[in-house]
Every structure is written in structure tokens, then in C-alpha cells.
Amino acid sequence: MIVYRINSKNVQIKQIIIKHKTMTKELFILRLHDIGAIKFGEFTLKSGHKSPFYFDLRDMISYPEILSGIADLIVDMIKDLDFNYISGVPYTALPIATLVSDIMDIPLIYMRKEEKAYGTKNNIIGTFEKGSKCIVIDDLITTGESLMETAKKFIAEGLKVTDFAVAIDRSNNIEQKIMNNACNLHSLIKLDEILNILESANRISKGQSVNIRKFTNSINLDKTNEKNIQNIITKKLLLKIEAKKSNLVLSLDVDNQKDFFKIIDKTAKHIVMLKTHIDILNDFDKDFIIKLKEYALIHNFMIFEDRKFADIGNTVRKQYRDGIYKIKDWANFITVHALPGEGILQGLFEGVENRSSFLLAKMSSKGNLMNDTYTRNVFNIGEKYSKNVSGYICHANSKEELRLLKNKIPKGQLMLMPGVKLKAGEDETGQQYTTVEDAMQGGADCIIVGRGIIEAEDIEKTAIEYKERAWKIYDDARF
Ligand code: 6AU
């Protein structure tokens, strides 16, 4: 039960305070919408992403009933927590924290926005005892990064920060990340709830809220992955998947340049990556690589040489760098067998920047010798070398089996699935095919398709079909 100290205030204010008590999350959101603090349209974010909505809460301070209302709601949320000081992140959250401090009768302190480099160098305004606990209030949380930065500064000044309170949480499951840093996040209202409120009040349409959810999920995908992924090439691939709305890797196994480029002309727009078997080409020459790189640049796809290295470190080092193909110079990714042990990765990637690999964890060929123990060991090696291992080549005959594999893949690494066609089946040498739907529902990040596309009557139309069927499942799975 909140006790309001109203005795020192006049009647007019008392009435407002009664109004405060009726402030609800719904009302708060609708009022923010009324004053233009929640905007819809197209906004370019700091990251460069174009967002269909934007929160600008700065003007909230000019609406006392909103400001006091949010302070009341925050008090209600944090009243049972244990802290000695209250702080707000300047500028917008500072007046909220001031009101909270007043209501709870707990002292306010705050951190300067610009670090002081002269005088006492005291960066905290207000008096406090070192070693005591402070709760930090912010109006909006997106990535949690600025709150964590603030917490670090408080800690550096001798305070403990164990709790954060935020009014609007537009992040996606950031609690976990903050918890890992031993701070609890208390969010008054999340984006999902905000959209529901606005939709029920007919302030936005169903279509708008679906769009916004899609947008935040795609951004959050970058964001969450950014945190887990040490491998920048993996990140590039994920961004291209989003940009091209394609999970399709084309396996272009033909033996001459003419056919090769004829097929690329029809498919380049629709693929996220082109997989080559460079040693299949009868007419390979240096110009081929120049042309291939130009295509990759113009059509925004990555190059993946499916070399399946499988020798000792010293040998693969030379195979990767030298010979006529000089694979290291042009392939963003290569495939590697982990069978020889981790030395193979040392040999391949020592001193190499900007290159990565996929380890073969479970092949698509019938009767292959990769059993569960082998696959698990591959994941272990891949995790240890995640700087140069973006993920794994995995095949399974059903989405359930594939899901089991996916669950074992280390965080931040991907699963690419070969042996994919529109219909399940097998070729004459035991290549097994699973459907696009099973591959994607089983958790594949990309499907690798060769003959299903390059032997189709209408190559472009078929590539689009694979792309769209895969993307639909990938995109929907984010909800
Ligand atoms: O769609 P396909 O069967 O015409 O082509 C599949 C492509 C081929 C294989 O060499 C490759 O995928 N592949 C791989 C990879 C990518 O390493 C592993 C595997 O287990 N099965 C498989 O088919 O270029």
C-alpha cells in the first residue's frame, strides 16, 4: 500500500494525487500516445535500421499527471525491494526518480552525464555512504547497454547496484543478460503489452502491430546474436539473411564456367550464399575468381567453398593457401572435417583474418559413419574454435531428429542443412533428401540446395520457391 504525503500540499494538488492513484499501465500508454511520445511511421535508428515506431519520452516531463502517474506505478513495482538510494538516468528519468524519492522518502542521487575531469572528480551528485545499495531508474530500455554502463559507473564510485527499474521495456528478454551481471531488471511495461493496449484502443491496426513485432524480432535477432557471436563472418551471414530475406545456399556443382554463370544470373538475387566445388570446374582460371567476387559484391551473397578439408594441420594450411585455387583468398567460408582433431583448425586459420568454416557434424549420405558421439565431439571442437567456426553441416531425415541436433549446437553457431529438396527422397548413390519444411522446422538456419534447383526446368522460379518456403518458416519462428 503506498502512503502519499499529501498533507503539505493544497487541495488542487490533492485532487491530482487522487488522479495519480488511478493511473494504470493502460492509461499511461494511451496518454503517451496522446502527447506524441509513441510515434508510428518510419524512423532511422542509431543502428541505421528503419523502425516503424519510435518512443520519444522527453516531453513527458511537461505533463505532470503523466509524470506523477508513472512515478506511482514505479513505486508500486519497487516498494518491496531493498535499497538505500534512488537514482535516475539523466535527463528524462531524473524527474521520475525525484518523484519516486519523494514518495518513498528515500534519498536521491544521480550520476553526471558528462564525466567531471576537474575539481573533486566526484561524478555522483548528492551525498551517499559507500557500500550502500542504489536502485537505478530509467524511462526506456532497448538493449540494456546504457543501463549496464550506468551501473558500472556507480560501482566504480563505491555503490552497489542490484536493481534496475524501467518504465518501458522495448527489449527482448534482456532480463537474462542483466541477471548474468547480478542485477535484476524490473520492467513496468513491455512492448508486447504496449502493442496490445494500443491495438485494443484502436490506436493502431492489427497490421501495424504485426509489422512492429516482426521488426523488433529481426532487430533483436541481430542484437542477441551479436552478444553470443564472436565470429564476425557469422554475423555478416545473419545480416545478409535478413537483408535478402533468404536462407537459401545454392550448391552450384557444374563443370564449366558458362553454365555456372548462366545459373548465377538466374539465382543471384535469391540466394544468401553460393556454395562451390571449385575442383569440379574443367575450365577454372584466375578470371573466374575475379568474376565470382564481382557477382558476390553486386548481388550481396557470400562465397562458400565446400572443400571438406580433412588432413593434418600442416597439410591443410598449404591446401587452403596455395595450389591453383588459393581458396583462402576468395572463399568467406569453407567446410572442414573435424576427424583429424583440432589441429586441422589451427593449421587452417592461424594468422588468417575474416574467414570462417562449417564443420561436418552429420552428413546426408546414407550409411555415413558419423554417430552421435562423433557429432557431439565435433560440436565440442567447434565451440572451442568458435572464432573460426560459424556452425555445422547437419542432416536428418525428420524435423524431430534435426531439432535434437539443433538443441546440441553451441550458442551463437549455426546449422546448415544439405540434402534438401521440395520432396523427400534419395538419389542413386545414397544422397538423402528431406523437405524444405522439415529442414527449417527442425531449426536449420540455411538450406543447401543443388540439383533441386540447377536441374529444374525453370531455375529462377524454383530458386524463388525454395527461398520463399524456407524464409516463411524462419521468419514465423521468431514469434
Ligand atoms: O542438393 P544436391 O544433392 O545436389 O547437393 C548437395 C550439396 C553437394 C554436397 O557436396 C553437399 O551439398 N553436402 C554437404 C556439404 C555441404 O558439405 C554435406 C553433406 O552431408 N551432404 C551434402 O550433400 O554439393
Side-chain angles (χ1 to χ4, degrees), residues 212-447:
I212 292 168
R213 281 179 228 266
K214 270 196 178 177
F215 169 78
T216 11
N217 282 328
S218 68
I219 294 277
N220 285 327
L221 183 85
D222 297 2
K223 278 286 164 200
T224 38
N225 281 330
E226 198 173 58
K227 292 296 156 199
N228 294 331
I229 291 173
Q230 302 150 21
N231 184 315
I232 52 162
I233 325 291
T234 314
K235 203 170 163 243
K236 269 192 197 160
L237 176 60
L238 284 168
L239 292 175
K240 280 198 206 307
I241 290 176
E242 293 299 323
K244 294 192 80 173
K245 295 192 186 325
S246 172
N247 314 79
L248 180 59
V249 178
L250 178 68
S251 180
L252 224 181
D253 302 341
V254 293
D255 63 9
N256 65 86
Q257 292 197 35
K258 190 164 163 255
D259 286 349
F260 190 97
F261 288 109
K262 217 161 91 186
I263 297 174
I264 299 200
D265 278 331
K266 295 181 182 151
T267 52
K269 270 196 284 182
H270 312 296
I271 62 174
V272 68
M273 186 144 72
L274 182 78
K275 189 176 79 62
T276 53
H277 276 296
I278 199 71
D279 52 357
I280 293 180
L281 279 179
N282 289 318
D283 51 359
F284 172 83
D285 56 22
K286 277 195 199 130
D287 291 343
F288 170 81
I289 295 300
I290 295 169
K291 200 166 163 188
L292 176 60
K293 281 165 89 174
E294 272 173 17
Y295 265 84
L297 195 69
I298 293 166
H299 296 287
N300 198 21
F301 62 75
M302 297 185 93
I303 307 175
F304 178 15
E305 164 57 21
D306 190 5
R307 172 62 179 76
K308 295 191 177 68
F309 289 97
D311 215 319
I312 60 166
N314 184 56
T315 305
V316 294
R317 187 197 314 270
K318 294 175 187 162
Q319 290 175 318
Y320 185 33
R321 291 161 177 74
D322 304 322
I324 51 171
Y325 301 122
K326 302 195 184 348
I327 295 167
K328 177 184 86 57
D329 294 348
W330 51 270
N332 302 108
F333 296 99
I334 47 172
T335 36
V336 179
H337 279 294
L339 186 71
E342 54 192 81
I344 191 167
L345 291 167
Q346 293 161 0
L348 285 166
F349 292 110
E350 244 163 30
V352 173
E353 290 296 320
N354 242 347
R355 296 286 180 250
S356 193
S357 66
F358 290 95
L359 302 184
L360 286 120
K362 186 81 194 159
M363 290 191 72
S364 58
S365 44
K366 199 171 180 177
N368 72 74
L369 305 181
M370 295 174 167
N371 60 21
D372 291 351
T373 313
Y374 181 84
T375 303
R376 199 172 47 246
N377 287 332
V378 173
F379 293 155
N380 288 341
I381 291 183
E383 185 171 23
K384 185 166 169 198
Y385 287 84
S386 59
K387 186 169 171 282
N388 299 109
V389 176
S390 291
Y392 307 88
I393 303 288
C394 295
H395 175 94
N397 288 322
S398 68
K399 62 178 172 227
E400 290 76 19
E401 274 175 75
L402 197 61
R403 187 47 60 204
L404 289 177
L405 282 171
K406 172 82 175 192
N407 290 341
K408 292 182 189 138
I409 287 184
K411 258 212 166 84
Q413 292 180 311
L414 311 180
M415 181 166 84
L416 270 49
M417 164 114 162
V420 176
K421 273 197 173 177
L422 296 176
K423 283 203 183 107
E426 208 174 300
D427 79 0
E428 66 289 354
T429 57
Q431 165 75 312
Q432 305 174 103
Y433 291 107
T434 305
T435 62
V436 177
E437 279 67 26
D438 276 355
M440 296 307 292
Q441 282 162 3
D445 294 285
C446 289
I447 48 168

Side-chain angles (χ1 to χ4, degrees), residues 152-176:
K152 278 189 212 151
K153 288 186 191 163
F154 276 104
I155 292 163
E157 302 279 340
L159 279 155
K160 290 184 187 141
V161 179
T162 48
D163 295 281
F164 292 119
V166 295
I168 288 183
D169 181 350
R170 53 169 290 184
S171 74
N172 192 14
N173 300 325
I174 223 150
E175 294 93 337
Q176 189 58 40

Side-chain angles (χ1 to χ4, degrees), residues 97-166:
T98 311
L99 291 172
V100 172
S101 155
D102 179 49
I103 296 167
M104 298 187 82
D105 202 16
I106 293 177
L108 177 80
I109 53 175
Y110 73 93
M111 181 70 67
R112 284 176 196 283
K113 214 164 159 57
E114 312 298 336
E115 259 177 55
K116 200 179 168 199
Y118 55 87
T120 57
K121 285 200 183 165
N122 216 341
N123 287 312
I124 293 186
I125 311 287
T127 55
F128 64 95
E129 265 178 46
K130 288 201 174 184
S132 36
K133 290 183 190 164
C134 178
I135 186 167
V136 181
I137 298 176
D138 209 349
D139 53 322
L140 184 73
I141 188 167
T142 309
T143 63
E145 273 154 34
S146 68
L147 264 187
M148 291 313 299
E149 276 311 302
T150 310
K152 278 189 212 151
K153 288 186 191 163
F154 276 104
I155 292 163
E157 302 279 340
L159 279 155
K160 290 184 187 141
V161 179
T162 48
D163 295 281
F164 292 119
V166 295

